[in-house]
Structures are given as structure tokens and as C-alpha cells.
Amino acid sequence: MYNDNNELVDIYIPKKCTATGKVIQPKDHAAVQINIARVDERGVATGQLDTVVFSGKVRQAGDSDDAMNFHCIRKIKV
């Protein structure tokens, strides 16, 4: 929601799990967000970030490492 000055005023902005595409509930305290820095040819960070979010259910099942590898290979093109 935006106020009269066109500023974002929502307290909670929902996030979606990268692996499942489902919205992460506010009470999911096992969920994590990981920011991966983009680098250039020399290995220096460019300032761009790729964000990966995993729900607690994915982490509990042990699927977060596979999902991270899939995301890095398919989306970031490592």
C-alpha cells in the first residue's frame, strides 16, 4: 500500500520461496534469504545481487542445496 506521498507503507511484504514458488508465511522462522553477489570477469563484485529465498519446509526436507544449485545454474548462468 502506498500513502499520499507515494511511499511504501506496508509493514510486511510477502516473499516467495525460490524452490517451490509458494508464499512464505510470516511465522515461518526457519525461512532464509541469501543474497548472491554478481562478479565480473576478474572476480570483483559489481554491486548487483541475486536473492534466493527458501522456506522452512524446503530446508527441513534437505532440498535447499539442490534448489540453490539449480537456481545458480539456470537463472544466474554460472
Side-chain angles (χ1 to χ4, degrees):
M1 176 187 326
Y2 292 91
N3 63 7
D4 294 335
N5 295 332
N6 204 21
E7 297 171 346
L8 185 65
V9 292
D10 285 337
I11 295 174
Y12 173 71
I13 299 173
K15 296 180 181 165
K16 292 177 84 175
C17 178
T18 304
T20 62
K22 295 182 180 180
V23 174
I24 297 176
Q25 301 299 319
K27 296 287 184 173
D28 189 359
H29 297 293
V32 294
Q33 175 178 329
I34 302 169
N35 292 323
I36 303 169
R38 293 260 179 143
V39 295
D40 61 7
E41 299 82 25
R42 298 178 298 145
V44 179
T46 62
Q48 297 175 334
L49 296 174
D50 288 308
T51 303
V52 181
V53 181
F54 296 119
S55 66
K57 187 174 182 178
V58 171
R59 294 184 64 215
Q60 184 178 14
D63 294 334
S64 56
D65 57 341
D66 289 334
M68 175 73 82
N69 290 336
F70 177 80
H71 177 75
C72 289
I73 291 170
R74 302 294 172 143
K75 306 292 182 182
I76 302 175
K77 310 239 191 290
V78 176

